[in-house]
Each structure stands twice: as C-alpha cells, then as structure tokens.
Amino acid sequence: MADSPRDLARLLLGARHGVVLTGAGVSTESGIPDFRSAGGIWENVDPMEVGSLSTFVSAPERFWSFHRPRFSAVDSVRPNPAHLAVAELERRGIIKDLITQNIDGLHRRAGSPHPIEVHGTLDFGECLRCGARISREEMVARADDAPDGVPRCTQCGFQVKSGVVLFGEQLPAPAISAAFAAAEAADVMLVIGSSLLVTPVSTLPDIVLRHGGALAILTESATPYDDHCTVRLHGKAGVQMTEVLTALDDLGMPAAP
Ligand code: NAD
C-alpha cells in the first residue's frame, strides 16, 4: 500500500472529483482535543451526559457549563497547516467538496468556501421550542448574563441551543444529503483526522469504494478502512499535508493564483 505524501499527491492529481472528509484530528494541532485519542475530551466527561439532547432539556445549566467554555476555546485558536492545505487544494480545483464532522469553524476560517458541516456548528443559536435563531455572539452574551449560565429565547423563554448536533438529535438533512451526494460523485476521497467510527459519516468511504473510487486516509491511529486504502498516511495532519502540497509543486501542479 502506498504510504508517502508524494503518493497522495499523485492520487489527488489524477482525481476528477476529489473529496476531503475531516474529523476532530484535523484540529488537534490547533489545540482543540479530539474525542478518542489519549487526552481527548471523552477521558474526563461522559459525552452521553453533557452532549445529549436529554441533558439539554432536563438540566440546561449542566449542559451549558460544559458548552460555554468551548466557545472561548474555539475563539482562541487558529487554523493549522492541515486546514490551510485543504483550502489550498480547493483553490487549485483538486478538491471539489469538503465534508467535516467538526463544529469548530476552522475550515471556513482557513479559507474553505463552503464546508459541509454534518454535525452542525457553534456559529448560531436556536430555540428548540419556537425555532427563533440568534447569532453566536448573542447566544454567548445571553449565557454570560444569565445567573444560571443558560441563554434563553426572548420570544418564548425556552433555553437556546447552539447549532451543534447533540446525541439524540437528527443530523441536519441538507448537510447529510450533500455529504452523501459528494461521496457518490467522488472518485478519490481523502479522510483526515477521523477515526471513522461515528455513523453515518463512517459509511461515506464505503460508498466511494463501492463505485470504484479510491480511498486515502491520514490519521495517527487505526481506522476500520485501513486495509481498503490506496494511500495510507500516518502522523500529524499538518506536517503530512504540507508535504503533500510540496509534492504537488514538484509534480508540476502550480499554486493557485
Ligand atoms: P475521533 O476523536 O473519533 O478521531 C480522531 C482521529 O484523528 C483519530 O484517528 C486520531 O488518531 C486522529 N488524529 C488526532 N490528532 C491527529 C493529528 N494531529 N494528525 C492526524 N490524525 C490525528 O474524531 P471523529 O472521527 O471526528 O469523531 C468524533 C466526533 O468528534 C465528531 O462527531 C466531531 O463532531 C466531534 N469533535 C469535533 C471537534 C472539533 O470540532 N474540533 C473536537 C472534538 C470532537
């Protein structure tokens, strides 16, 4: 199995419809922990408790005491070389679609024009009872002003939820259909920083393989698809993706204007 950044550059150069799928591991070099690696978020909390719809409804103060610091954490970090490399591949026309499970907004901040955010985003707040939407800034300000730390809807008084999809909630239908359409169209899919254990995203590589497309994976740890890769890279996403860009330049693919 091919295993060098140059191999990945060659595969991407031959792609008609390249698609990138990212997970929490693309953002760890920015300082945001992933879920499953050592030191990841799930080592210290029970995700089913703090990240579930039922906790949001029954114990909103517990929910918001976990979620409020995540806004500040995301605001204080920057896109890393892996996010920047993905945006560069899009500018060069090599990557046509970017699907992300991340909610941190770092792909957009790196210059990716329209990431498909299948697990939602921290970027807005929504009242689950009446549907009123507010900006992220407004949601955070209301959380900080509330004695119990819970932002509330000014129209109906119910607690406001961020746009992040919780356990027990449906994934946003437009994003999930766009992700499946991208996988159907892909002749090359590059997975960066996802354990590929969370459904339904974990089924996307299977769609690509079933219609004869090629799969490349770049993660530090094993995934269920490792034996089905055309290219399998290990190591840090930022380092490896920077080398992929260098290899593309060597192979004669000029930088985007
Ligand atoms: P995961 O935690 O299950 O897997 C992360 C993968 O990335 C692992 O395979 C790990 O080896 C790899 N990895 C970690 N750091 C890496 C690096 N520097 N370079 C290369 N690989 C690296 O994450 P997942 O598959 O995305 O699924 C879990 C859920 O985590 C998703 O639903 C996502 O929404 C959520 N999540 C998002 C963020 C974020 O938005 N930044 C952070 C934590 C969790």
Side-chain angles (χ1 to χ4, degrees), residues 23-25 27-29 32-37 41 101-104 119 193-196 198 219-221 235-237:
S27 293
T28 55
E29 285 158 83
I32 303 177
D34 64 10
F35 274 175
R36 292 182 177 78
S37 298
I41 295 168
Q101 298 167 89
N102 294 347
I103 48 136
D104 56 34
H119 292 169
S194 174
S195 58
L196 295 174
V198 178
T219 60
E220 287 186 308
S221 53
K236 297 281 179 204

Side-chain angles (χ1 to χ4, degrees), residues 33-120:
D34 64 10
F35 274 175
R36 292 182 177 78
S37 298
I41 295 168
W42 289 7
E43 267 192 356
N44 303 316
V45 293
D46 175 0
M48 293 308 288
E49 190 206 346
V50 293
S52 70
L53 184 62
S54 60
T55 298
F56 172 76
V57 172
S58 64
E61 58 301 324
R62 163 99 184 110
F63 175 91
W64 271 100
S65 71
F66 174 73
H67 281 270
R68 174 64 186 88
R70 298 181 77 188
F71 288 87
S72 311
V74 164
D75 286 342
S76 67
V77 301
R78 298 158 68 89
N80 68 55
H83 299 107
L84 297 171
V86 171
E88 175 67 11
L89 291 175
E90 291 179 278
R91 272 193 295 277
R92 293 187 191 195
I94 294 175
I95 293 302
K96 303 285 194 289
D97 294 298
L98 166 61
I99 305 164
T100 187
Q101 298 167 89
N102 294 347
I103 48 136
D104 56 34
L106 287 176
H107 281 301
R108 262 176 290 121
R109 283 169 60 192
S112 288
H114 36 69
I116 302 168
E117 296 172 311
V118 286
H119 292 169

